[in-house]
Amino acid sequence: MKSLLKKLSLLPDSNIQKALLISFIIANFCFLYHTLNFMWGNHDVKFIKEELLLSSGLFEGRFTQFILYRLLTNGQILPVLNNLIGFSFLIIAMYVLSKYWNIPQTKLNLIIFTTFFITQPYTLSWLYFTFITISCMAWAFFAILGLYLSSLIKNHPHKLLLSIISIICFYLPLGGYPPIINTFFVCLSAKMTLDVIFYQKNIKDLFATYKYTIINILISAILFKLTLYFVPSDEVYNLETTPIQDLPNKFFSTLKISFNQFFVSVPFMEKGYKITLAIMSFISIFGAIITSTDTKKRLLSIVLICATIWFTSLTTFLVVPPTEYVSRIDFYGYGFLYAFFLSLLLSLKPKIFESIGILFGLILIYLNILNNYHALYVWQEGFKHETKILENIYTRIELHPNFNPEKKYRIFQVGDISLRPMYYNKNIDKDDVFLLSIPYLAMWQSKNLLQFYSPFNFTSDIENLFISDITDSVQDYVNNRARIWPEKDSIYIDDNIILIVLTQNELNKLKIKVNNLLNKT
Amino acid sequence: MQNIIKNLTLSKKEIFLWFLGFSVLTLSFLPLITNFTWGNHDWLSLKTDGHLKAGFIEGRISQYLFLYLFLDSHILPILNTGLGFLIYSLTIVLFTTRFFEFDINNKKIYFIIPLIASLPYTNEITFFQFIILSQLIWTFTIFMSLMFAKKATKKHHIIYTILSTFFLFLSIGGYPASSNLFIISLILYLSQIYSSTKNITITLKKSIPFIVSLFISFTTLYFTYKYLQNTGQMIKLYNNETISLQELILNLPKSFMLSITSLITPQPFFSLIYKTLSSFIIFSFIFYYLKQSSSLKDFLIRLLFFFAIILGIKFSALLTKETPQTFFATSDPVFFMIRTDFYSLPILILFSLCFLTKNTKTYIKNIISVVITILIFSNINSNLYYSKINILAFRSEINLTERISDRIKKSPNYNPNTLYTLIQATDLSFRPRFYHKPIPTYQAFYTLHSPFTRYWIPNDYYNFYAIQPFVSQQVSINPKDINDEMINYFTNQIETWPSSNSVYLDNKYAIITLSPKGKNMLTEQFKSIKSIKQ
């Protein structure tokens, strides 16, 4: 193993090992509250209790998503270890990235670079759903490893072997979470920028070196698409790609989104924080421009920087559903973009820029820790409060005269209650569902939620409301008697179904649905 | 004096190994440590602290000693387990470096120590907060006993034997099954002596202080039990009753087979892979130990050691009567009790690994390295899985207890000034509901099946969070109190939870029927109580 790492110039010396260990400790400290409290998100309920299978992601085309879980934790979501393994992958990813981008390998540089990236609040989005924490953090590692190995192909004797390994490194994350494609191109474009700025490369040189990377990414993308033909996936929103005729318009809209991101505040990344990041970014761009002596190279570097910025919205460009300002996608794009700007500062020749980079790095790491602890406090209070409501709902069900724990009921939760926003009072430009607004008590998880702490197996796996369910009693309840939780008539139970009414909006929709079903008869 | 200080000082390598073992062990159980769950015997001790004599009733005379010395009898989150882990991980290192004197310049030791520290036998030890500290400290006191006996073979024979006896008595006075550690360590030590000297006479002479210590401490314990029973401080319980010598000898072949079976039979949190790999280590050691024999006599002596090891790891099971099926006893067969295996198997695996990494060919050492790596990872996974299940099930059971409590207090008959006799008809154990694997034959009661509340001590947990106590210590219906209302309830109305008729409340009794088994139990018991009244 050591000799292999040495051949690939990836063998860390003792200083680097210490730097990585310090970064790992800081990263774990930053998210310690999450690690120790074992919080989970609204997709996780069944998986926390049971296990993750290799096939668990197939329905949405995520055919590699749970390979690592099966290998490392036997399909279990385990407290503490889930986060530790995820952060380990990120630490190694950032080390390889520091090599890929040729950041000066001093202990301080590496600590700041690595810690800054991992502690960004974008990482929170991968802690929210514990069932994909390990995979989605590991995909960053595979992506960067693929890029690094591809960059070695030009001068390497084993071109085919390196290509195959790189393609696997790109293919695995695509099969797990396709927006990783943002990382491929942000990091690649950043690398090219750095080559132009520091190594005076021209377009021809860049093409000669990085054509292999692009080819490998293309091959892995084709393999990914081919695999989707054979994977038995459902008709899900996140597999729909943009029609070709819409691409030109989308290019400009995504360009605008990419540059807007510098100033748009989102939960736990408020205005002040974003502006600090923006200032760091612009100083590094400024530094890159003024240190460049050749006008052509200067122009080329500006174009590449703009391309790097645009690539943060590559997923938004390629798919139909709106994915802009979504933190877990921005993790793969914007997270690396900011890391690139920091690395640029740390690498620029005038010492002043390195000092500015270190200063910004330290300030931003401090702000990251602050923001993350704020987020985790908000999450924990929301989680506790929503869990309390769930307990109260369950108690009321148990007390209901019609409830029989021997039966199997179909559960219909009418509306969600999301309480994390109650504990967050900052002004933001855009919401983020994973960082703040989606509920723990999601409608479509009601049967798993109610079953979680119950001593009885009283929920059915069938999720449909049938015409035969719309008895006179149900009709009367829905149209006349139903009230919103926690009022007295917010729960209805008969022999087949349990209705839990949480919001007026959804109750109105239910009324329409029930009446439509009746009209069909 | 200088010698004493030298003996007490740890080298840098020992300190590092200690830190390594402690870190891996703590990591494995970190969720449990920080979430502070507790077992079904802990409720009263958590509120009122464990006093020194609390263990006398079952003959556990020193059980609360270290809780008193280190934590002022308080059961404290993090400290209770953290301190226990600190001492246990130190003990593992000391066994390696001071008792068995294995070479710690061998780099594999940096993997062996964390492996031993993280073995899943510890998980059952963490179930009861009131004895975590003492159960873990007995490993250290046994170590001290062994070291003094070992030193007694060289000089100051009488004083060191007395000290050895003292520490052994202290340990078995707290938990008799801790003697497993003494026995198996002695056998392994003697096998080591025999291996180096090839002289059975010298080997047997070396064993004298150990045997004396064992004999005196057990004899003293026997007379202590007699005294406590005569003074009414101790009752005869299943777990302090032993079989006769004749039965012991007759049972030896069966015991031997059961011991082997237990090494290879999966149990909850001890998967088939784990059992396969751990027994591979143990049997490989035995194989290579036997292979070292140079003559038939040598082989036969080593074979005796083999039998002694297999029987020695179940020493307490050899002596104990099979656990009766009563409502307060565990339902684990004595040969499959994980908390007694805690005192024998880790040290055997430690010895086996150190032996194998020294005395075998390179390819075997490489295989062992792979096995060690797999097992460390498997241990951490298994312990964290155990922690997760405990945390989630604990929350579920507390929630259920709160709902029941609420139902009682919302009843129109409820009087907050009454101390009710609460009869809860059985428990609902939630841990198996979160265990998403096939549950093997040997159930591991405290590891998986035991609930966090026990229905025969309802006053402890129902009063735990109550503003004022509302449940008395009585747990049975006095036939004189049977009235028409009660008769009507048991005859016509009784249902299981969560039905409204699962809770009965009058001016004296609160009866909760939690399960169909509980319903049957209650109705049968009521019939016999009613017949007494009649």
Side-chain angles (χ1 to χ4, degrees):
Chain A
M1 184 70 171
K2 266 187 184 171
S3 59
L4 175 64
L5 289 175
K6 209 170 177 182
K7 278 183 194 167
L8 296 172
S9 306
L10 284 176
L11 187 66
D13 62 27
S14 61
N15 256 349
I16 301 299
Q17 287 175 26
K18 281 180 195 160
L20 295 178
L21 180 61
I22 292 169
S23 305
F24 184 67
I25 291 169
I26 298 172
N28 276 285
F29 168 73
C30 190
F31 299 105
L32 194 62
Y33 195 64
H34 183 274
T35 303
L36 295 181
N37 276 292
F38 193 38
M39 296 187 239
W40 60 82
N42 64 24
H43 285 42
D44 295 322
V45 188
K46 197 166 157 67
F47 298 128
I48 293 275
K49 206 173 178 181
E50 297 175 11
E51 60 177 343
L52 292 160
L53 303 171
L54 279 174
S55 56
S56 296
L58 287 184
F59 78 98
E60 49 176 354
R62 309 258 168 102
F63 46 87
T64 59
Q65 187 77 298
F66 301 109
I67 291 176
L68 289 171
Y69 273 95
R70 292 305 309 183
L71 281 175
L72 298 174
T73 64
N74 202 22
Q76 287 296 320
I77 299 169
L78 296 175
V80 177
L81 202 62
N82 213 43
N83 286 4
L84 282 184
I85 294 176
F87 294 144
S88 301
F89 274 114
L90 284 184
I91 292 282
I92 303 170
M94 295 317 288
Y95 166 63
V96 177
L97 188 60
S98 75
K99 287 289 209 178
Y100 183 56
W101 285 346
N102 283 322
I103 296 170
Q105 298 279 296
T106 64
K107 202 161 143 186
L108 183 61
N109 277 358
L110 205 56
I111 291 172
I112 287 176
F113 176 70
T114 306
T115 311
F116 164 73
F117 175 81
I118 296 175
T119 58
Q120 287 181 101
Y122 293 119
T123 307
L124 284 169
S125 61
W126 291 123
L127 296 181
Y128 178 75
F129 290 131
T130 55
F131 81 121
I132 45 177
T133 300
I134 291 178
S135 316
C136 291
M137 290 190 185
W139 300 147
F141 162 70
F142 283 102
I144 291 160
L145 184 64
L147 289 169
Y148 180 80
L149 293 176
S150 295
S151 71
L152 301 176
I153 291 173
K154 186 188 167 203
N155 299 320
H156 206 274
H158 303 295
K159 286 183 169 43
L160 184 62
L161 180 63
L162 272 185
S163 292
I164 290 170
I165 297 171
S166 303
I167 289 167
I168 292 171
C169 285
F170 292 136
Y171 174 75
L172 282 174
L174 281 174
Y177 195 68
I180 191 75
I181 203 162
N182 285 14
T183 302
F184 297 164
F185 286 98
V186 167
C187 292
L188 174 61
S189 181
K191 172 67 174 164
M192 289 187 193
T193 313
L194 292 165
D195 277 357
V196 168
I197 294 168
F198 295 110
Y199 303 102
Q200 312 306 311
K201 288 195 177 171
N202 55 33
I203 294 176
K204 203 174 157 190
D205 299 327
L206 292 175
F207 181 76
T209 308
Y210 300 109
K211 65 183 178 198
Y212 301 101
T213 309
I214 295 167
I215 291 168
N216 290 341
I217 291 173
L218 276 173
I219 293 172
S220 61
I222 291 166
L223 286 172
F224 164 66
K225 274 295 196 184
L226 278 173
T227 312
L228 283 181
Y229 275 115
F230 297 104
V231 163
S233 54
D234 299 344
E235 292 287 323
V236 287
Y237 68 95
N238 52 6
L239 291 174
E240 219 185 324
T241 44
T242 309
I244 293 176
Q245 62 270 23
D246 294 340
L247 286 176
N249 273 342
K250 229 171 172 196
F251 172 77
F252 292 104
S253 62
T254 48
L255 193 62
K256 188 180 170 192
I257 288 167
S258 307
F259 280 88
N260 266 353
Q261 278 266 33
F262 282 109
F263 307 105
V264 165
S265 56
V266 290
F268 313 110
M269 288 184 266
E270 293 99 14
K271 215 57 152 193
Y273 176 76
K274 275 306 204 56
I275 287 171
T276 311
L277 281 169
I279 293 171
M280 179 198 69
S281 308
F282 294 137
I283 292 176
S284 76
I285 295 170
F286 173 73
I289 292 169
I290 64 165
T291 53
S292 191
T293 49
D294 186 307
T295 310
K296 272 190 187 171
K297 297 271 174 358
R298 195 176 286 166
L299 276 171
L300 182 57
S301 57
I302 291 170
V303 168
L304 284 170
I305 287 172
C306 290
T308 308
I309 296 172
W310 179 76
F311 279 127
T312 59
S313 298
L314 184 59
T315 300
T316 310
F317 176 70
L318 291 172
V319 302
V320 167
T323 56
E324 60 272 19
Y325 311 112
V326 175
S327 55
R328 63 185 194 175
I329 292 175
D330 286 341
F331 171 87
Y332 289 122
Y334 251 77
F336 286 98
L337 181 72
Y338 288 127
F340 161 59
F341 288 132
L342 179 62
S343 71
L344 195 50
L345 277 174
L346 294 173
S347 307
L348 285 169
K349 278 291 176 287
K351 272 283 181 191
I352 179 98
F353 288 109
E354 191 189 359
S355 304
I356 292 171
I358 290 170
L359 183 64
F360 266 104
L362 291 171
I363 292 170
L364 286 165
I365 288 169
Y366 173 72
L367 290 175
N368 287 347
I369 292 174
L370 222 58
N371 286 338
N372 290 329
Y373 268 96
H374 184 207
L376 293 172
Y377 156 73
V378 166
W379 286 16
Q380 176 70 339
E381 292 311 308
F383 183 75
K384 272 188 339 204
H385 198 161
E386 290 185 40
T387 306
K388 198 73 207 152
I389 290 174
L390 177 67
E391 284 167 16
N392 291 340
I393 290 172
Y394 180 78
T395 305
R396 215 183 283 181
I397 287 173
E398 255 189 352
L399 281 169
H400 199 285
N402 292 350
F403 179 67
N404 181 349
E406 307 285 309
K407 288 193 175 172
K408 292 272 189 212
Y409 295 92
R410 278 170 288 123
I411 314 287
F412 299 98
Q413 182 178 310
V414 183
D416 301 310
I417 295 179
S418 175
L419 294 178
R420 285 188 292 168
M422 260 182 65
Y423 303 96
Y424 183 75
N425 58 7
K426 304 270 186 179
N427 291 323
I428 46 173
D429 298 319
K430 297 273 181 193
D431 182 28
D432 184 281
V433 290
F434 304 111
L435 292 185
L436 190 63
S437 53
I438 54 168
Y440 289 101
L441 304 188
M443 274 194 293
W444 49 274
Q445 279 280 35
S446 50
K447 75 170 171 55
N448 291 325
L449 286 163
L450 285 171
Q451 198 60 73
F452 195 80
Y453 287 119
S454 171
F456 311 111
N457 294 329
F458 68 98
T459 60
S460 165
D461 286 331
I462 301 167
E463 293 175 351
N464 307 79
L465 189 67
F466 301 116
I467 293 172
S468 54
D469 293 325
I470 317 298
T471 59
D472 290 341
S473 169
V474 167
Q475 207 186 341
D476 174 51
Y477 173 78
V478 169
N479 287 320
N480 304 318
R481 291 192 293 115
R483 296 288 179 269
I484 310 303
W485 178 268
E487 287 189 65
K488 195 163 163 270
D489 271 321
S490 50
I491 292 181
Y492 171 87
I493 302 179
D494 65 19
D495 288 339
N496 299 306
I497 62 173
I498 295 178
L499 294 172
I500 305 157
V501 180
L502 295 185
T503 62
Q504 187 63 52
N505 241 1
E506 289 299 324
L507 177 59
N508 295 341
K509 286 183 191 172
L510 180 64
K511 282 180 186 172
I512 296 170
K513 186 174 178 178
V514 161
N515 293 325
N516 284 344
L517 276 171
L518 280 172
N519 289 339
K520 276 185 187 169
T521 60
Chain B
M1 185 66 180
Q2 271 183 336
N3 262 344
I4 293 171
I5 292 168
K6 193 184 166 191
N7 283 335
L8 291 173
T9 311
L10 295 174
S11 68
K12 273 189 185 166
K13 272 197 176 144
E14 284 174 319
I15 293 174
F16 181 70
L17 285 170
W18 181 18
F19 169 75
L20 216 53
F22 174 68
S23 301
V24 172
L25 177 56
T26 305
L27 171 69
S28 301
F29 290 100
L30 192 59
L32 263 192
I33 295 172
T34 53
N35 278 276
F36 195 45
T37 62
W38 55 84
N40 57 34
H41 288 34
D42 289 320
W43 295 89
L44 197 59
S45 305
L46 279 163
K47 243 180 164 177
T48 60
D49 296 339
H51 60 94
L52 270 177
K53 285 188 176 181
F56 279 27
I57 192 152
E58 43 175 358
R60 307 274 167 95
I61 50 177
S62 51
Q63 190 160 69
Y64 287 93
L65 177 65
F66 289 103
L67 194 69
Y68 170 75
L69 282 175
F70 289 123
L71 300 177
D72 198 20
S73 297
H74 303 309
I75 296 171
L76 299 174
I78 297 179
L79 282 185
N80 204 36
T81 313
L83 195 56
F85 281 177
L86 208 60
I87 292 169
Y88 176 57
S89 45
L90 172 64
T91 309
I92 294 169
V93 175
L94 292 174
F95 262 104
T96 312
T97 59
R98 307 292 177 103
F99 185 66
F100 295 122
E101 294 184 69
F102 284 115
D103 176 22
I104 57 169
N105 291 318
N106 176 359
K107 283 191 180 164
K108 287 193 177 43
I109 203 75
Y110 296 105
F111 294 92
I112 293 173
I113 298 294
L115 165 62
I116 302 304
S118 61
L119 286 173
Y121 302 102
T122 314
N123 62 30
E124 191 164 292
I125 301 292
T126 64
F127 181 67
F128 289 125
Q129 287 284 346
F130 81 110
I131 47 172
I132 287 177
L133 187 59
S134 50
Q135 297 280 69
L136 293 168
I137 284 181
W138 301 144
T139 58
F140 181 75
T141 51
I142 295 277
F143 164 77
M144 293 299 288
S145 173
L146 288 163
M147 282 304 293
F148 279 120
K150 184 179 171 185
K151 285 190 183 303
T153 62
K154 291 172 188 159
K155 57 180 179 179
H156 304 309
H157 313 290
I158 294 174
I159 290 178
Y160 281 149
T161 306
I162 290 171
L163 284 168
S164 172
T165 309
F166 167 73
F167 278 104
L168 182 56
F169 176 73
L170 194 65
S171 314
I172 62 176
Y175 191 62
S178 62
S179 55
N180 285 6
L181 180 57
F182 187 93
I183 296 293
I184 191 64
S185 302
L186 170 61
I187 296 169
L188 292 170
Y189 173 66
L190 293 177
S191 72
Q192 218 178 14
I193 300 289
Y194 178 74
S195 206
S196 59
T197 61
K198 295 268 193 330
N199 188 321
I200 192 65
T201 310
I202 294 174
T203 308
L204 288 173
K205 271 189 185 164
K206 293 272 187 190
S207 71
I208 293 170
F210 295 92
I211 305 292
V212 169
S213 173
L214 197 64
F215 177 75
I216 296 175
S217 49
F218 268 94
T219 308
T220 312
L221 188 70
Y222 171 78
F223 285 111
T224 309
Y225 281 178
K226 279 269 180 258
Y227 168 76
L228 289 174
Q229 281 165 6
N230 290 340
T231 53
Q233 295 179 81
M234 177 179 159
I235 58 174
K236 265 197 166 188
L237 278 179
Y238 71 95
N239 56 1
N240 50 45
E241 298 244 301
T242 52
I243 59 175
S244 65
L245 185 60
Q246 188 188 10
E247 279 175 303
L248 171 69
I249 294 167
L250 286 172
N251 284 344
L252 278 178
K254 182 183 166 196
S255 302
F256 181 83
M257 289 315 299
L258 279 172
S259 184
I260 300 262
T261 309
S262 76
L263 288 177
I264 55 176
T265 306
Q267 291 172 273
F269 308 103
F270 294 84
S271 62
L272 184 59
I273 294 174
Y274 173 83
K275 287 280 179 152
T276 307
L277 292 178
S278 57
S279 49
F280 167 75
I281 292 169
I282 294 167
F283 290 121
S284 299
F285 151 64
I286 291 170
F287 172 77
Y288 280 99
Y289 185 73
L290 291 171
K291 203 165 170 257
Q292 282 180 338
S293 20
S294 53
S295 65
L296 179 63
K297 181 185 167 192
D298 188 13
F299 176 78
L300 287 172
I301 292 171
R302 286 171 188 264
L303 197 62
L304 274 174
F305 274 115
F306 162 57
F307 286 113
I309 287 168
I310 298 298
L311 288 169
I313 55 178
K314 302 287 177 179
F315 177 72
S316 58
L318 295 176
L319 300 181
T320 316
K321 275 189 176 173
E322 193 62 55
T323 321
Q325 292 295 317
T326 69
F327 64 89
F328 59 79
T330 77
S331 50
D332 285 339
V334 292
F335 278 84
F336 293 84
M337 279 192 184
I338 290 165
R339 65 185 189 279
T340 58
D341 286 344
F342 169 77
Y343 289 106
S344 54
L345 287 174
I347 215 71
L348 175 56
I349 294 172
L350 170 71
F351 189 92
S352 304
L353 285 170
C354 291
F355 176 91
L356 288 168
T357 52
K358 188 184 161 194
N359 295 304
T360 55
K361 292 188 178 164
T362 309
Y363 76 93
I364 294 291
K365 288 179 188 165
N366 290 340
I367 292 172
I368 291 297
S369 297
V370 172
V371 169
I372 290 172
T373 311
I374 295 171
L375 277 177
I376 290 177
F377 206 70
S378 161
N379 290 348
I380 294 173
N381 262 274
S382 178
N383 295 336
L384 284 170
Y385 186 43
Y386 171 81
S387 300
K388 176 175 97 166
I389 285 172
N390 267 29
I391 292 165
L392 296 178
F394 184 76
R395 281 182 203 161
S396 305
E397 290 190 32
I398 297 285
N399 287 348
L400 176 63
T401 307
E402 282 174 5
R403 293 202 300 277
I404 295 170
S405 215
D406 221 39
R407 182 91 69 97
I408 292 171
K409 289 176 180 176
K410 280 183 176 158
S411 170
N413 295 345
Y414 177 70
N415 182 346
N417 298 318
T418 304
L419 262 184
Y420 289 92
T421 299
L422 195 146
I423 295 143
Q424 180 180 308
T426 71
D427 307 295
L428 283 176
S429 176
F430 279 75
R431 284 192 290 173
R433 294 181 65 81
F434 289 97
Y435 187 80
H436 193 69
K437 295 178 198 225
I439 295 180
T441 312
Y442 296 104
Q443 295 185 346
F445 189 66
Y446 288 121
T447 312
L448 185 64
H449 287 267
S450 171
F452 290 96
T453 58
R454 288 319 311 268
Y455 62 88
W456 41 274
I457 44 166
N459 61 303
D460 285 352
Y461 50 91
Y462 280 107
N463 289 336
F464 194 80
Y465 288 116
I467 296 170
Q468 62 185 57
F470 70 102
V471 179
S472 75
Q473 289 188 346
Q474 297 301 316
V475 289
S476 57
I477 300 173
N478 188 334
K480 291 178 191 171
D481 294 327
I482 294 176
N483 54 35
D484 291 339
E485 191 189 348
M486 204 184 276
I487 293 169
N488 182 42
Y489 173 75
F490 278 105
T491 314
N492 301 318
Q493 295 177 337
I494 186 170
E495 291 296 339
T496 52
W497 181 268
S499 164
S500 54
N501 281 330
S502 60
V503 177
Y504 167 87
L505 195 76
D506 63 21
N507 60 351
K508 203 170 172 187
Y509 294 93
I511 299 167
I512 302 135
T513 318
L514 265 195
S515 62
K517 182 181 163 190
K519 181 181 171 184
N520 290 339
M521 193 182 95
L522 272 179
T523 43
E524 289 307 310
Q525 282 181 359
F526 184 74
K527 276 180 199 166
S528 56
I529 294 170
K530 205 171 118 192
S531 65
I532 292 170
K533 176 178 173 158
Q534 284 160 355

